[in-house]
Amino acid sequence: MASSVDISDYSDTTKPVGADNEKGEKFFAPPQYDGDMIGEMSEAERHIYEHGVKKFSRLGWKRLTIVLIVEAIALGSLSIPSSFATLGMVAGVICCVGLGFVAIYTSYVVGQVKLKFPQVAHYSDAGRLMFGRFGYELINAMLILQLIFLTGSHCLTGTIAFTNITESSICSVVFGVVSAIILLLVAVPPSFAEVAILGYVDFVSIIVAIGITIIGTGIKASDAPGGLSGVEWSAWPKEGITFTDAFIAVSNIIFAYSFAMCQFSFMDEMHTPKDFVKSIWTLGLVEIFIYTLTGALIYAFVGMDVQSPALLSAGHTLSRVAFGVALPVIFISGSINTVVCGRIIHGRIFKNSHIRFINTPAGWATWLGVISAITVIAFIIAEVIPFFSDLLSISSALFISGFTFYFPALMWFMLIREGKWNEPKNLALGALNLLCLVIGLITLVGGTYSSIDDIIINYREGKVRGVFTCHMT
């Protein structure tokens, strides 16, 4: 009988790809073929398998860093300044830096699980190790929904960008459709190594867009009466802040540190998985620097009226320029989520077939069908929740709270803890992981309540357009 392990993702069956376990054993990649499967394959099918294995085993740590940057430093950075306006400068900086280091640690835990259990190809496979079939199905559903929400948020941002750039009378739903089509086209290449090439364009795009916004808001503040000293910003939370306001602000910062979610999938294409540590430290420190600097400076230049996404605060002309520059990051980063989601669904449907390698007509046809369906659902979500901060917030509360905080904490307790509990190292790590667990659960409960509450308030007060209705400039 064919093995239930996802056997197709490893090209070298003789080289250890994992860390030592408690008994000092090395974990080896599973064989490419086993038992009945090898007997069922023709020479042509075997060639397709071997080509597919090589295709999906080309990612080094530098390219992994770029892919993680593309997936992570995108919409999150655009929501940070409005979080600072709610929380105040002090709490905003503390949350950005503190949550950033926690995210680096939990991402490290995720990587350790991948090294110890190389058969884990996606986050849901780790769920199977912890909770059996129930854990697999639960996390699989959460991961797919989160990735679709992310694609939807990029579709919404694309709609906002086109609406502001063109200043035309075209219905915003049309721009939503255009954004969805672009997201679909960029998601066609199924390999992360291929997408990583676009990552360099993506990274330059978001950095330049943020730079334009910072410079533009700084000049605008300097030219205003009273100069920078006349900007209304505070070191402390805004007056009359509600529980809902505070939690949405924190949830938006949490959204910005969601890179652990796709880490299993990305590491599954690495030719040297143990190099992941270089990637997460590079990404984590870059994120902390960019998010803290972006949030603090734009908030200090704009004040309490800073908008979300932050590019809207750059002024009439510069806002249009910034959105134009940001178009690559909107669509490239958004498409990464579609690719990860598509790989999960497509790989599961064709788990024991060469079709899963997407290097045959049948493979390409089914791949295009899967990513098209994902994009359509994402477009619908963007139309149902057409407000940026709340879409990111509810996504953070329901899903990222788990992927970034409480699931990695549980993985440490259940999968990778070694030695006795009373050892100093385990006591310290146990306390740290307990903190991560608590942060995740508080975000899950408080963030979900706050997001739903704010969505209801926004609809009741008429602050947003209705579902599938036009908004024209």
Side-chain angles (χ1 to χ4, degrees):
M1 181 180 293
S3 169
S4 61
V5 174
D6 197 354
I7 63 171
S8 56
D9 296 304
Y10 303 93
S11 59
D12 189 345
T13 63
T14 62
K15 183 177 67 176
V17 296
D20 291 343
N21 65 3
E22 294 183 44
K23 298 179 181 179
E25 300 174 59
K26 289 286 188 180
F27 288 86
F28 290 83
Q32 293 180 29
Y33 320 109
D34 67 336
D36 297 341
M37 185 176 290
I38 191 169
E40 295 172 0
M41 287 191 294
S42 65
E43 193 66 32
E45 289 174 331
R46 191 172 303 174
H47 174 74
I48 292 172
Y49 259 86
E50 290 171 351
H51 175 73
V53 167
K54 293 178 181 178
K55 177 180 179 179
F56 292 106
S57 302
R58 296 180 291 143
L59 202 62
W61 78 267
K62 293 178 183 177
R63 278 195 174 185
L64 173 62
T65 303
I66 294 298
V67 173
L68 286 170
I69 285 174
V70 170
E71 191 267 335
I73 305 179
L75 302 188
S77 59
L78 305 184
S79 66
I80 298 294
S82 65
S83 294
F84 272 64
T86 301
L87 299 173
M89 190 70 76
V90 173
V93 171
I94 290 173
C95 285
C96 268
V97 176
L99 290 171
F101 278 108
V102 172
I104 291 174
Y105 172 71
T106 56
S107 188
Y108 175 77
V109 171
V110 167
Q112 290 300 307
V113 173
K114 174 62 179 175
L115 294 185
K116 188 172 183 179
F117 304 96
Q119 72 271 24
V120 174
H122 299 291
Y123 215 118
S124 51
D125 295 326
R128 188 198 298 275
L129 292 177
M130 291 189 290
F131 308 114
R133 180 64 181 269
F134 171 78
Y136 175 81
E137 298 296 349
L138 173 65
I139 295 181
N140 205 45
M142 289 177 63
L143 183 57
I144 289 172
L145 286 172
Q146 167 61 9
L147 290 166
I148 293 175
F149 263 79
L150 283 170
T151 302
S153 64
H154 282 266
C155 185
L156 174 61
T157 310
T159 303
I160 295 171
F162 284 132
T163 300
N164 280 271
I165 292 169
T166 61
E167 293 187 335
S168 69
S169 59
I170 297 175
C171 176
S172 57
V173 177
V174 174
F175 286 130
V177 173
V178 172
S179 297
I181 292 172
I182 296 174
L183 285 166
L184 174 62
L185 293 176
V186 180
V188 169
S191 168
F192 299 127
E194 294 165 346
V195 177
I197 297 171
L198 296 175
Y200 298 98
V201 177
D202 185 284
F203 184 64
V204 171
S205 169
I206 191 61
I207 295 300
V208 173
I210 290 173
I212 290 172
T213 305
I214 291 174
I215 294 170
T217 53
I219 294 174
K220 186 178 178 181
S222 300
D223 293 340
L228 292 175
S229 60
V231 179
E232 185 184 353
W233 65 271
S234 173
W236 312 111
K238 69 178 184 179
E239 186 176 347
I241 186 173
T242 65
F243 177 85
T244 293
D245 291 338
F247 238 103
I248 287 175
V250 173
S251 295
N252 282 341
I253 295 176
I254 289 173
F255 178 91
Y257 291 112
S258 60
F259 53 89
M261 176 185 64
C262 299
Q263 191 175 324
F264 283 120
S265 304
F266 295 153
M267 286 182 66
D268 204 48
E269 279 198 27
M270 292 186 74
H271 52 69
T272 312
K274 66 181 181 180
D275 284 347
F276 84 95
V277 178
K278 303 174 186 177
S279 295
I280 62 169
W281 271 106
T282 302
L283 171 66
L285 294 177
V286 168
E287 276 195 314
I288 291 171
F289 176 78
I290 290 176
Y291 293 159
T292 305
L293 196 67
T294 300
L297 288 179
I298 294 179
Y299 175 47
F301 292 154
V302 179
M304 301 301 295
D305 296 327
V306 65
Q307 300 182 64
S308 184
L311 303 186
L312 292 170
S313 300
H316 179 264
T317 302
L318 276 182
S319 176
R320 297 171 66 191
V321 173
F323 269 118
V325 172
L327 287 177
V329 75
I330 292 171
F331 295 115
I332 296 172
S333 293
S335 68
I336 283 281
N337 301 296
T338 306
V339 172
V340 176
C341 188
R343 287 277 301 276
I344 293 170
I345 297 172
H346 192 268
R348 183 170 183 180
I349 295 173
F350 301 104
K351 182 176 181 179
N352 295 316
S353 169
H354 62 270
I355 291 176
R356 70 187 299 272
F357 287 121
I358 317 171
N359 55 358
T360 61
W364 278 107
T366 51
W367 171 252
L368 293 175
V370 168
I371 61 173
S372 296
I374 292 168
T375 305
V376 170
I377 297 171
F379 166 74
I380 293 172
I381 290 174
E383 290 297 314
V384 172
I385 312 178
F387 23 98
F388 187 72
S389 288
D390 284 333
L391 182 54
L392 301 193
S393 178
I394 195 168
S395 169
S396 297
L398 289 175
F399 307 119
I400 295 175
S401 60
F403 295 126
T404 302
F405 297 112
Y406 62 80
F407 282 140
L410 292 174
M411 289 176 196
W412 184 85
F413 285 113
M414 301 177 69
L415 301 178
I416 64 173
R417 180 186 63 84
E418 298 179 356
K420 297 180 179 180
W421 268 109
N422 59 0
E423 294 179 4
K425 177 182 177 182
N426 281 338
L427 289 174
L429 289 176
L432 177 57
N433 283 280
L434 183 60
L435 174 64
C436 297
L437 179 65
V438 171
I439 292 173
L441 294 177
I442 290 175
T443 304
L444 172 63
V445 177
T448 302
Y449 166 79
S450 300
S451 301
I452 294 174
D453 183 50
D454 201 53
I455 290 171
I456 293 172
I457 291 172
N458 280 329
Y459 268 116
R460 186 170 61 228
E461 297 181 355
K463 293 181 179 179
V464 292
R465 61 184 174 86
V467 179
F468 295 107
T469 59
C470 291
H471 171 75
M472 295 175 284
T473 57

